[in-house]
Each structure stands twice: as C-alpha cells, then as structure tokens.
Amino acid sequence: MASNLNNAHDFRIDNYSFTNVTNVNPSADPLSKLEARVATETRVAVQANLYRWIVDGDGEVEQPKKIKWVTGPAGTGKTAVMGSLADRCAEGGVLGATFFFASWSASIGRRRKTAFVTTIAHQLAQHREDLKNAISAAMEKNPGILEKNLHVQMETLVLAPLREVVRQSEDPELRGAIIVDGLDECEAEQYHDTNITGPRATPTRTNAQDQLEILQVLQAASLDPDFPFRILIASRPEPVFREFFDPEINPTFAQKLDLNVEHNADADITLFLEAKFDLIRRRYNFPLSWPPPGTIQTLVENASGQFIYAATVIRLLDTRQREPPKALLDAILKVEATRKTSSNPFEQLDALYMRILESSPDLPLSVRWIHSIPILNEPAFNVNMLLQTDPESNEAEHLLGTLHSLIQIPPHSNQTTTQYGFYHKSLLDFLEDPGRCGKLYVEKSERRVFIWDAFIRQYKSDAMVLKGVVTPSFHTRKASSNSWPSFHHFGQL
C-alpha cells in the first residue's frame, strides 16, 4: 500500500487527513454482492489459525515470539489470505497496520522500501489520540527523519512513541497485528552519487539487501519489550527469507506457516469454483447440468493448490470473451488433459497462460507489450501512444483485447489516469522463464531494443510535427497534455 507520507516534509500528523473510500452501489445485483464475498470465504482454516495466533499467541508466558512467517510458492493464495485476514482483524479491532508490496504496482510506494516505516507509523497513529500526538511530536522534533534509514525511522516514529504511550498510560490496551505481504517483491532502492565515478561509485543494491533490511528492522521492533504488536510477514520462500527465518540460526520467531505444506487448499478451491460456476450459470442462464460432471474435480487437480489457477479460469470464462463460456471451458479441459506428464506444479498454470496468450492476434508483439508495461509505469493512454506504431490505430485493443483475464485494462474513460495492471505476478514469472514459456521468451536485450525503438519513433514523430512536416493527429495533441513517458525509464532496463 502506498503511503501519503512518502517524500513528505514539514507536516503534522494530527492535521493529516487520510480517507479510504470503498464504492458501494446499494442497488447492485445481489449476485454481484455474493460474488464479492466468495473470495473472503476461502482458506478459512488458515485465517482462523493466524487470527488465533494474533490474539492469543502460542501460549508463551515469557519472551513472546512476535513474528510469524507465512510462505508458499506463487499462486498459493498468500495475498488473498493476508487481505482477508486484515479485514477480519479490522472487524475485530486488532489491526495495527498493513503494507502490501507489489513489484508490478503502479505506485512506486508499493514497490520499494522508502514508504514502509512511514506508512506503518501513519496507520498506527489512527488508533489512539495519545499515540497520534506522540508520533506527531516525533515528526516535529525530527524534521529530517524522512531522509533517514529505516532503522532510525522505526526507532523515531514507532518505537519511541510507543514507549511513551505505554509508560504514561494507565491502561495502554495496545495490541494487534502488523501485516506485511509480498515482501519478496520489494525492489531495491539505488543510491548513486553522480559526483563519484570508477571503483568508489556506490555499488548497485540487490532486492535481497533491501528485503533483509526490512526484516531486520521488524525483528528489532519485535524484540522491544514495549512493542505490543504481532507481525505477520508473507513472502515466497526465497533464499533470503529461508535463511533469516531458519530456526537453527534464529530461534526468536514463531513457527512458520507454509501454505503449500501445512494446509491442503483443495477443499477451499473446490468451494471457490462451485460458487463461481453457480454465479456464471445463473448469469448466462445455463442449465443445471453445466459444468459437466467431474469438471470441478479436474480443475482442482490441475490447480495443484494454486488459487491463481482457479481464479484465472473463472476470469477467462466470465470476462465476455469472443468465445462463449462453454466453448472456453471445453478448450481449457482439452488443453490441460494433454499436459499431465510432468511433476512441475506450475505446468497446468503455464498451459493455461499459454492458452490465453495464444488468443492474441499477434502473440510476439503482445508479449513485448506485456514486458514493457511494468517498465514504463505510465497511464495506459501513454503506454498505448508510445508503443503503437500507428497513432490512429487501436493497437492496444487489438493486442490485449482477449487478455482481460490476465491484465487489468482500464476503461477508455480512465486510461489517461489509470495504469494497466496484472492480476498476479506469476504471469510475469512465466514470461521471464524460458523453460516455462518456451517460444514466448524474449531476451532482455530485445525488450530494451523494443522500448528504445518506441521512444525514437515517438521522438522523430514529435520533431516532424514541430517542423511542420506533418500535422499533429488528435491522439498526439491529446498525449501532449499528459505526463509523457521520459527517458528515466531506462534506468530500469
């Protein structure tokens, strides 16, 4: 979640207003309301387990272990579990703060560590007036705190105010959870001194270094005797996390929860698919005999515990594609039936991604667009204008129009302000791995060339307009009023 404190200066938290608005249509279709609740009912046992740990711990009397790691490979539903758990904690009055990292997010605040501690501090300040005042006072006394490292920020904006409140209040009543999701997706911040070159130049930081820094900051907070919150950290089982949470190296953490090992998701995926198929059947007036017997069981087997597989199947069937849902489901089942020879748990998901991507009329070009979207990090309109070869064409709709089950495509009325999004990072993982995507793989050098060519093409087009050689089109004039992509994007290439 992006922080409104990011890069802020000279402000008081007690004058700061933050509103979280959820659009609710009271006249919405009852089935739509039911559909919105389906996802929250999955992984009930997991959520109950974690909620019980937040409220009661592991029964420790002394030195409680305040950090628990929730892990599992891509697609096992970590973010869905953490999101639903956060909702439950909010309802129960035990939610301290949340931060959901997302490497493909439009917001830089959700991709990097810069806003992490400030976001936590701001959310904690909403719980009690005395804590709010203490954090506000800390900001006033330390105007340069936002430029300090995470350890200093955590001490100044969170731990010191908590100590003050705990020690001065007769009944602190501070408890609950701080939920951090997708920490493995945190991208490294780079600090380069442009006045220094050669061997003394600042070395490039790795993602793992910044992820480890956040882990160490949270561990230090959890060991403070006045820190009253329990911390849940969800991530894939990447090496930096496996080593950090190794009980033989560091025994101060609660027992990890591995979604892929300790909780069989088949029952919850079955529940999810049954509810969704019922909604689709009602929406399209299909007979009760649809889907055919055994369909859900087959899809559950293909999912291999990955919620993202089931969710993608449902989106594909229910996004009003050019093919009707019955035909799409038949095609999915036929494709999957021929690909059960490998022990690779991602094989069925890969086959599904391949099936959907192949519906694009120009597969190689569509894949290059997909690679470019997170790099450009721009509103959809700007991405379209930069990448399309003909400014009068609707190349984006031509290439991505059949990929709505994979890509969040904003409506035309919002494309000047809203970015493309991906439903799950596993799509990008699939396209980054030549062993998984095969013929769809694009070398990084080819991606660079593709975007460079797009910038050069646009630069030449703008130059010709300025010289009066050609007349600017409606699209070009409209784009000029927006925040046009600049060459700073190539720092990411």
Side-chain angles (χ1 to χ4, degrees):
M1 141 180 342
S3 170
N4 288 284
L5 295 178
N6 190 23
N7 297 323
H9 295 272
D10 303 324
F11 72 98
R12 288 177 59 87
I13 290 184
D14 54 351
N15 293 325
Y16 187 81
S17 175
F18 180 83
T19 304
N20 183 17
V21 178
T22 301
N23 294 322
V24 178
N25 181 2
S27 62
D29 176 6
L31 287 178
S32 298
K33 295 180 181 179
L34 175 61
E35 183 174 2
R37 296 293 300 175
V38 168
T40 65
E41 300 304 319
T42 60
R43 290 297 176 102
V44 175
V46 177
Q47 292 175 40
N49 182 333
L50 295 175
Y51 188 82
R52 185 166 51 251
W53 178 78
I54 290 168
V55 175
D56 300 326
D58 292 322
E60 323 99 322
V61 178
E62 297 180 357
Q63 296 183 333
K65 297 180 178 180
K66 300 177 183 177
I67 294 184
K68 179 182 281 288
W69 180 35
V70 179
T71 188
T76 49
K78 295 182 295 297
T79 297
V81 168
M82 301 298 269
S84 297
L85 179 64
D87 291 340
R88 181 172 179 180
C89 288
E91 293 173 359
V94 292
L95 181 63
T98 64
F99 198 104
F100 282 63
F101 285 97
S103 61
W104 71 97
S105 168
S107 169
I108 200 68
R110 289 186 62 191
R111 300 169 68 172
R112 295 179 182 168
K113 69 180 184 182
T114 308
F116 179 72
V117 173
T118 53
T119 298
I120 299 299
H122 175 260
Q123 293 183 33
L124 292 178
Q126 309 309 306
H127 290 274
R128 288 168 52 116
E129 193 67 23
D130 52 359
L131 183 56
K132 184 178 184 179
N133 292 336
I135 295 175
S136 178
M139 284 293 302
E140 287 187 336
K141 293 177 183 178
N142 301 274
I145 189 61
L146 299 180
E147 307 303 324
K148 302 297 184 180
N149 64 50
L150 297 189
H151 289 272
V152 175
Q153 288 184 4
M154 179 64 78
E155 171 62 32
T156 304
L157 296 179
V158 177
L159 296 179
L162 280 172
R163 291 189 202 106
E164 179 181 338
V165 169
V166 169
R167 294 169 186 176
Q168 293 183 1
S169 175
E170 295 181 359
D171 185 21
E173 280 297 320
L174 281 169
R175 63 171 189 151
I178 293 176
I179 297 175
V180 181
D181 179 68
L183 183 51
D184 56 294
E185 296 184 34
C186 176
E187 298 177 349
E189 291 278 8
Q190 304 299 336
Y191 304 103
H192 295 292
D193 187 341
T194 55
N195 296 318
I196 301 178
T197 59
R200 294 181 61 243
T202 305
T204 300
R205 285 182 65 87
T206 65
N207 293 350
Q209 286 176 315
D210 277 12
Q211 293 160 12
L212 179 60
E213 181 181 352
I214 292 174
L215 289 171
Q216 292 170 338
V217 166
L218 291 173
Q219 182 185 25
S222 73
L223 294 175
D224 189 298
D226 290 323
F227 184 79
F229 302 102
R230 294 187 182 271
I231 301 172
L232 280 168
I233 301 172
S235 77
R236 299 184 187 187
E238 305 294 354
V240 63
F241 297 95
R242 295 200 306 270
E243 181 176 345
F244 186 79
F245 288 106
D246 187 337
E248 295 185 1
I249 298 177
N250 196 331
T252 63
F253 304 119
Q255 184 176 0
K256 73 175 181 181
L257 191 154
D258 190 330
L259 294 179
N260 198 46
V261 174
E262 299 175 38
H263 289 271
N264 188 330
D266 288 359
D268 288 326
I269 293 177
T270 300
L271 174 65
F272 172 81
L273 289 173
E274 287 175 344
K276 288 292 189 177
F277 272 116
D278 184 60
L279 290 167
I280 295 173
R281 184 169 55 244
R282 293 172 181 269
R283 184 169 295 142
Y284 291 93
N285 294 317
F286 290 160
L288 292 175
S289 59
W290 189 88
T295 296
I296 291 179
Q297 180 180 353
T298 298
L299 293 175
V300 170
E301 292 175 357
N302 289 342
S304 299
Q306 298 161 344
F307 270 87
I308 185 58
Y309 174 90
T312 303
V313 167
I314 294 299
R315 280 197 302 270
L316 178 63
L317 299 179
D318 201 29
T319 51
R320 292 171 174 79
Q321 300 285 333
R322 294 165 189 171
E323 297 179 72
K326 289 184 178 180
L328 285 170
L329 180 58
D330 290 343
I332 291 171
L333 294 173
K334 289 178 182 177
V335 169
E336 305 309 327
T338 64
R339 298 178 65 86
K340 293 185 177 180
T341 59
S342 171
S343 59
N344 174 17
F346 294 110
E347 181 159 8
Q348 303 300 326
L349 180 63
D350 293 352
L352 179 61
Y353 281 160
M354 185 72 76
R355 166 67 177 79
I356 297 171
L357 290 168
E358 286 177 341
S359 68
S360 173
D362 190 333
L363 182 55
L365 187 55
S366 296
V367 171
R368 283 163 173 78
W369 273 59
I370 291 172
H371 279 301
S372 302
I373 287 170
I375 294 175
L376 294 173
N377 193 27
E378 290 282 342
F381 182 86
N382 287 352
V383 172
N384 298 347
M385 288 305 304
L386 179 67
L387 298 183
Q388 64 190 10
T389 55
D390 180 359
E392 301 294 344
S393 71
N394 194 355
E395 191 170 328
E397 177 62 28
H398 175 69
L399 294 173
L400 307 179
T402 61
L403 307 181
H404 283 264
S405 58
L406 304 179
I407 304 173
Q408 296 168 312
I409 301 177
H412 290 289
S413 59
N414 295 338
Q415 290 199 352
T416 58
T417 57
T418 307
Q419 300 190 351
Y420 289 114
F422 299 97
Y423 285 105
H424 202 268
K425 186 176 179 289
S426 57
L427 172 64
L428 301 177
D429 294 340
F430 167 68
L431 292 174
E432 290 277 358
D433 187 341
R436 293 176 60 187
C437 70
K439 64 181 181 181
L440 303 188
Y441 182 69
V442 181
E443 296 283 354
K444 288 187 177 180
S445 59
E446 295 180 57
R447 302 175 213 165
R448 297 190 188 101
V449 170
F450 178 73
I451 300 179
W452 265 115
D453 286 348
F455 270 103
I456 293 171
R457 182 172 59 248
Q458 184 61 40
Y459 177 80
K460 289 181 177 178
S461 175
D462 290 347
M464 293 179 70
V465 170
L466 291 174
K467 292 179 180 179
V469 177
V470 297
T471 302
S473 67
F474 165 77
H475 295 293
T476 304
R477 291 198 303 271
K478 184 176 181 182
S480 65
S481 66
N482 290 284
S483 174
W484 189 247
S486 63
F487 284 91
H488 79 270
H489 294 293
F490 289 95
Q492 302 179 49
L493 293 178

